[in-house]
Amino acid sequence: MSTPSLPDMSKLSNSALDFIDDVRFGELLSKKSDAGRIREIAAKSKAKQALNLDEAAALLNADEPELVELIYDTARQLKKDVYGNRIVLFAPFYVGNLCMNDCQYCGFRRSNAEQIRHTLTVEELHEQVSRMLAMGQKRTIAVFGEHRNYGAQYIADTVREIYSVKYRSPKTGSISSLRRVNINAAPLDHGGYKIVREAGIGTYQVFQETYHKPTYRKMHPAGTRKSDFMWRLDSPARAIESGCDDVGLGALFGLASWKFDALSLVAHAIHLMSNYNVGPHTISFPRIRPASGLHIQEVIDNNVADRDFLRMIAVLRLSVPYTGLIVTAREPANVRQEALGFGVSQLDAGGRIEIGGYKDINSESVDAQQQALNREQFELGDVRSLDTVVKELLENGYIPSFCTACYRLGRTGEVFMEYAKPGFIQDFCTPNALSTLQEYLQDFASPETKAVGEKLVEQEIAKLPDDRRKQMLVQRLEKIRSTDKRDLFF
Ligand code: SAM
Ligand code: SF4
């Protein structure tokens, strides 16, 4: 598609600074938390104020069961106040597994001879996207290894190709396409971020993997591009300076101490907020999974137990109230289900991460599809179909949402942070979530899921406080039920 290129690693952002102060973070994490202080911090969070580092560290240190309970309760409340009961759904799209790096935890690392390397051709890309659309997907994250063939122009061309694929629902004849393409790929330079922004990307995610420098050095061998800690740490700032104001942070848990990396994620969010007046759009916290050619015990020094993982999610919810939290299908279904209660706002569902892994939806039982580790980055923990996950969410009172309205109306970055306040959810998010759910029920859901979904839609309409909005939404839903008109939003 385009000529290979590599970014110019000599130019950092205007705010470039190594704000990870190991000594200070260590001190903060060794202070004991008392109940009075935790109550004060929880009250500040409830008022939807972002926490400072001392406060986040105090929450991470609150090990006593009753304090952990208080943090969980506050996280549940905040989740309700800021996000309502919507859960945004997406699916990953792995474009190619070439990689010049040698990250010790990853199946794509260059020294892994077991990995079968492939980059999707344009025809394969169209077929894969059609299969995602046939399930009912509307949002994706395109994922790439770090390689000279996957430069900014290539990523931008790929995003345009993905947006161009159209699918006609055999049930209703409606036409759909992916409406938001996020990216998870290597850090770019300023010019690179401008190129991908022009292709209309959603969020650009770069996970720091670990903020603990000695561990970072151990995991990313010297001489590889990824061994440059600062280039990676600075990448969200460069993205924002280049106009990509929805950035996603993340850390890979299991490498270093979970408390240290969780505190560092908060420090990264504070750094962006104080320099650009915009925090991260999302934070991800994958835990290491088995991968091809990987002896997982040799990599994981700091395995995170489920209870600590859930605690960390709750602390992040309190620390950065307006940042979306993502828990991916790396996690098993039961952990994902529990995490929803403590503040997770986005899940991937029905995703396949082998290169070319999306199969024809009618050809086999999608739930039971085997994973081929030598074609994927790691093993998934939850391979249930989109329909199964949607049904479970509905049964638990959540609204599965495929909404992309904010990003398409320019409500991103700093502007988004102003909107994501009480009132906005009822006026915009809930009605938009319900209309995208109605589209899914009409065009793609199984009869069982449709029946549960229709009931939830009725209950949610009844709860809307504004009669005018309610009336407009009812008309909109009727249009979706009786015509092939789609993609209607407030
Ligand atoms: N190559 C790009 C990079 O490294 O920035 C894209 C990232 S990679 C395709 C997506 C993320 O998967 C990585 O940033 C890492 O956090 C995570 N990952 C890698 N190996 C993993 C494993 N064995 N288990 C779980 N997550 C893993
Ligand atoms: Fe390559 Fe990314 Fe895997 Fe590292 S994590 S080996 S850069 S794909």
Side-chain angles (χ1 to χ4, degrees):
M1 288 193 217
S2 62
T3 36
S5 65
L6 286 172
D8 171 9
M9 289 172 70
S10 63
K11 190 167 177 300
L12 295 177
S13 73
N14 295 327
S15 68
L17 173 78
D18 180 1
F19 50 86
I20 303 299
D21 183 342
D22 298 26
V23 177
R24 177 167 170 241
F25 288 12
E27 282 166 11
L28 287 177
L29 289 170
S30 61
K31 278 191 203 157
K32 221 53 221 106
S33 302
D34 69 70
R37 174 136 170 81
I38 298 299
R39 264 185 224 108
E40 259 173 47
I41 299 171
K44 182 173 172 189
S45 285
K46 269 195 191 149
K48 297 187 214 65
Q49 290 176 41
L51 301 182
N52 62 37
L53 267 196
D54 289 31
E55 291 161 341
L59 295 182
L60 288 166
N61 278 343
D63 295 322
E64 291 73 14
E66 64 278 12
L67 297 184
V68 174
E69 260 330 298
L70 176 64
I71 293 172
Y72 282 159
D73 283 347
T74 314
R76 283 190 199 98
Q77 185 65 46
L78 263 176
K79 161 88 193 292
K80 258 206 343 247
D81 291 351
V82 179
Y83 292 92
N85 56 344
R86 291 163 303 118
I87 300 293
V88 169
L89 295 177
F90 68 97
F93 181 42
Y94 274 68
V95 179
N97 60 355
L98 304 182
C99 195
M100 297 154 56
N101 289 320
D102 210 21
C103 312
Q104 298 301 294
Y105 41 80
C106 178
F108 290 174
R109 70 193 183 284
R110 70 180 183 205
S111 63
N112 182 15
E114 288 177 24
Q115 187 75 197
I116 298 167
R117 308 283 166 175
H118 184 61
T119 304
L120 296 177
T121 62
V122 175
E123 294 70 36
E124 287 168 338
L125 180 146
H126 277 251
E127 185 180 63
Q128 289 291 299
V129 174
S130 294
R131 288 174 178 176
M132 290 166 80
L133 292 169
M135 285 178 214
Q137 304 286 3
K138 296 287 186 291
R139 304 168 62 112
T140 191
I141 179 153
V143 187
F144 304 79
E146 178 160 12
H147 195 270
R148 62 179 71 252
N149 291 5
Y150 306 150
Q153 192 56 53
Y154 178 81
I155 295 175
D157 292 346
T158 304
V159 168
R160 290 197 173 90
E161 240 7 277
I162 295 173
Y163 279 130
S164 76
V165 182
K166 302 270 180 283
Y167 175 82
R168 181 185 291 275
S169 158
K171 280 190 187 165
T172 59
S174 69
I175 307 283
S176 65
S177 57
L178 290 173
R179 297 173 185 166
R180 178 173 173 125
V181 181
N182 298 330
I183 301 293
N184 185 319
L188 301 176
D189 57 15
H190 285 88
Y193 283 119
K194 285 192 185 121
I195 291 172
V196 295
R197 191 201 60 183
E198 275 158 25
I201 64 158
T203 310
Y204 200 102
Q205 286 186 346
V206 173
F207 300 164
Q208 188 62 26
E209 317 300 8
T210 176
Y211 291 85
H212 184 248
K213 277 162 263 186
T215 311
Y216 190 91
R217 276 194 292 275
K218 209 167 105 195
M219 291 297 139
H220 307 103
T224 59
R225 295 183 70 77
K226 198 153 160 181
S227 65
D228 190 332
F229 180 88
M230 196 55 210
W231 175 249
R232 201 166 178 88
L233 188 72
D234 183 55
S235 68
R238 292 193 301 278
I240 295 173
E241 286 179 357
S242 313
C244 297
D245 51 6
D246 276 1
V247 296
L249 306 181
L252 181 58
F253 282 83
L255 301 176
S257 134
W258 67 268
K259 290 188 179 180
F260 184 89
D261 273 331
L263 187 64
S264 302
L265 282 168
V266 177
H268 207 161
I270 291 172
H271 176 78
L272 295 177
M273 195 66 200
S274 53
N275 283 285
Y276 302 100
N277 211 17
V278 50
H281 189 65
T282 55
I283 293 185
S284 308
F285 22 82
R287 285 191 291 185
I288 294 183
R289 297 283 302 154
S292 77
L294 184 76
H295 301 288
I296 201 157
Q297 263 60 38
E298 289 169 16
V299 182
I300 299 189
D301 268 348
N302 288 284
N303 207 358
V304 186
D306 289 354
R307 65 179 184 288
D308 291 335
F309 186 64
L310 294 169
R311 237 179 96 183
M312 178 192 70
I313 296 173
V315 171
L316 287 175
R317 179 68 301 144
L318 266 62
S319 304
V320 285
Y322 291 117
T323 295
L325 300 181
I326 303 178
V327 68
T328 68
R330 292 174 181 84
E331 298 300 333
N334 63 321
V335 171
R336 301 221 297 163
Q337 178 57 36
E338 228 176 319
L340 290 180
F342 301 133
V344 164
S345 50
Q346 292 195 26
L347 292 181
D348 55 339
R352 289 294 174 272
I353 62 171
E354 295 149 41
I355 311 295
Y358 287 106
K359 304 285 179 233
D360 183 342
I361 197 147
N362 301 311
S363 70
E364 60 190 296
S365 161
V366 174
D367 276 331
Q369 189 188 321
Q370 294 291 315
Q371 298 184 60
L373 269 192
N374 60 355
R375 288 178 176 277
E376 66 186 355
Q377 197 188 10
F378 49 79
E379 186 181 49
L380 290 179
D382 181 2
V383 290
R384 295 172 302 159
S385 67
L386 176 61
D387 192 71
T388 306
V389 174
V390 167
K391 182 157 171 278
E392 183 184 82
L393 288 171
L394 291 165
E395 284 167 347
N396 289 312
Y398 292 108
I399 311 175
S401 171
F402 298 88
C403 182
T404 52
C406 279
Y407 137 80
R408 288 159 77 215
L409 292 171
R411 298 191 296 238
T412 63
E414 191 184 341
V415 185
F416 175 77
M417 310 207 68
E418 283 164 22
Y419 276 118
K421 303 264 152 90
F424 185 78
I425 299 173
Q426 280 153 2
D427 280 350
F428 295 91
C429 305
T430 302
N432 285 339
L434 290 171
S435 57
T436 58
L437 172 62
Q438 189 67 52
E439 290 181 356
Y440 177 79
L441 299 177
Q442 244 19 70
D443 296 339
F444 303 103
S446 65
E448 300 76 31
T449 302
K450 187 158 193 264
V452 190
E454 292 286 1
K455 217 189 262 170
L456 185 114
V457 170
E458 290 311 316
Q459 286 163 1
E460 292 295 328
I461 292 174
K463 281 194 230 159
L464 288 177
D466 176 346
D467 280 343
R468 214 173 66 89
R469 202 43 133 203
K470 197 186 285 197
Q471 209 39 47
M472 281 164 81
L473 178 65
V474 167
Q475 283 168 6
R476 189 157 289 185
L477 297 183
E478 196 36 51
K479 200 173 204 175
I480 294 169
R481 289 193 189 103
S482 57
T483 72
D484 62 2
K485 286 264 174 302
R486 299 291 180 264
D487 206 11
L488 312 163
F489 48 83
F490 294 102

